[in-house]
Amino acid sequence: MPELPEVETMRRGILHLVGSRIVRAEFPRGPKRPISTHPTPAAIVADIRDGRLSAVERFGKRLALAITFPTHERWLVIEPRMTGLMLVAAPPTADHVRLVMHMQQAGERRRQPLVFWDQRGLGTLRLVDACGLEQVCGPRALGPDGLAVTPDDLATSLGHSRRAIKVALLDQHAVAGIGNIYAAEILHRAGIHPRVACRRMSRRAWTRLADTTRAVLAEAVRFEGSSIGDKLYQTPARRPGRFQHRHRVYGRAGQPCVTCRSAIHRIVQGQRSTFFCPQCQPRSGRSGG
DNA sequence: CGTTCAACCTGGGCGC
DNA sequence: TGCGCCCAGGTTGAAC
């Protein structure tokens, strides 16, 4: 579920814990199968204990918690994948709680749990040093962040690609943070057909796409992400996001386009659903407004 | 280079 | 009620 806006909302929702100490951490017994971690859960628990949360960063769809000690620093890199959530409120179910960090602010007695919850368990946790962070979240691993991507970034990395633009937008090496929902919403607002080959994109189209990408993602952050059918995704305080009310194409196959009233189409690209309006998103150029 | 498929998982919705 | 199937916001690696 979580794409850039959802992960950014997670980041903001736990920022108030910066400065607090990890008194204790645990991987609960509940889940049937363990999630993927590196190193082992036991090693992570031992290595983050008594560390101080000194920063919360986001790299594309990944969250990175800086944990500092008197002598060194570690980063806990969290990849929520489909159903992972960071929570400071009571989790939806007890049996999908993957990691609990008991946080304590300096001079306070009260402990506050910071939870990673993941129903499907496809999420991953990695505890790395600064060098490891570079490998996992640095520019060799991820392209420019979706909130800051420029026309030049896109034209340079994708301008010669034969891939369909929708598929390319999901490539985290090209732009970091876009997933299936926002790829559809961005292309609709930019008036670009999802099957257009990257190499056929004009300079104007790259500009429109980069500008729209930043705008849509920033707006989705303001609305705290998308909670489809109020199901899984919620903010750390367990509020649903509100950007789903502004979706124009995602999940709307057969329904009228909000701008031109013609029916939204659903196709499959790279084994994933793509939603678009054939009227507003012509294969070449731009028809209407 | 690019595409396709399977795999990793749980759970909701649907048709029968 | 139950079963089988399809679907889902992501990523990876192997095969072609």
Side-chain angles (χ1 to χ4, degrees):
Chain A
M1 91 189 44
E3 306 180 32
L4 185 154
E6 290 77 28
V7 179
E8 177 61 19
T9 302
M10 292 178 199
R11 189 183 78 83
R12 296 180 182 192
I14 68 176
L15 261 186
H16 62 280
L17 291 172
V18 166
S20 52
R21 188 168 56 91
I22 302 172
V23 176
R24 187 165 59 87
E26 56 186 319
F27 284 78
R29 306 260 177 220
K32 289 195 185 101
R33 295 169 215 281
I35 58 170
S36 164
T37 71
H38 183 84
T40 64
I44 290 178
V45 161
D47 289 355
I48 66 177
R49 188 195 169 105
D50 264 347
R52 194 175 61 89
L53 180 67
S54 55
V56 184
E57 306 280 346
R58 179 189 55 75
F59 300 92
K61 303 174 189 174
R62 292 168 194 175
L63 201 62
L65 312 189
I67 300 169
T68 59
F69 299 85
T71 58
H72 61 287
E73 179 179 58
R74 290 285 180 274
W75 292 84
L76 183 63
V77 179
I78 300 161
E79 234 182 278
R81 302 256 176 122
M82 294 292 266
T83 54
L85 294 180
M86 291 304 292
L87 296 168
V88 294
T93 64
D95 48 341
H96 297 109
V97 173
R98 309 292 173 161
L99 172 65
V100 185
M101 288 172 280
H102 299 276
M103 314 297 292
Q104 191 169 37
Q105 286 282 7
E108 284 185 25
R109 179 159 299 167
R110 208 172 78 86
R111 293 176 180 187
Q112 191 178 2
L114 173 58
V115 168
F116 178 61
W117 181 91
D118 186 358
Q119 180 184 86
R120 286 171 72 176
L122 300 177
T124 69
L125 297 177
R126 276 174 289 207
L127 187 66
V128 298
D129 58 16
C131 181
L133 181 71
E134 177 71 15
Q135 287 175 19
V136 172
C137 296
R140 238 199 51 210
L142 298 173
D145 194 79
L147 286 177
V149 71
T150 66
D152 275 351
D153 289 334
L154 296 178
T156 302
S157 64
L158 300 175
H160 299 290
S161 169
R162 313 171 92 92
R163 280 185 296 177
I165 187 61
K166 155 63 168 25
V167 174
L169 277 183
L170 297 179
D171 181 349
Q172 303 300 300
H173 297 279
V175 201
I178 299 175
N180 212 33
I181 292 179
Y182 295 102
E185 296 301 318
I186 288 164
L187 286 175
H188 181 264
R189 278 161 232 236
I192 297 170
H193 193 289
R195 284 220 239 250
V196 170
C198 291
R199 63 206 294 226
R200 300 287 176 226
M201 293 266 291
S202 66
R203 178 71 206 182
R204 288 175 65 95
W206 285 123
T207 300
R208 219 163 59 228
L209 183 57
D211 292 351
T212 308
T213 296
R214 295 191 311 273
V216 168
L217 294 176
E219 186 184 345
V221 169
R222 286 200 299 277
F223 283 83
E224 301 188 302
S226 303
S227 297
I228 304 287
D230 311 311
K231 283 290 166 56
L232 291 174
Y233 167 72
Q234 300 175 317
T235 70
R238 291 203 58 194
R239 283 190 305 275
R242 303 179 308 283
F243 191 72
Q244 66 277 10
H245 303 306
R246 304 182 90 83
H247 288 179
R248 298 187 186 173
V249 287
Y250 184 82
R252 298 192 62 243
Q255 297 176 44
C257 173
V258 293
T259 48
C260 76
R261 314 312 294 173
S262 61
I264 299 300
H265 283 206
R266 174 187 179 272
I267 60 175
V268 174
Q269 292 178 284
Q271 301 130 243
R272 310 193 66 188
S273 292
T274 297
F275 300 91
F276 70 104
C277 170
Q279 195 71 31
C280 298
Q281 298 169 256
R283 281 176 173 278
S284 64
R286 159 119 105 167
S287 61

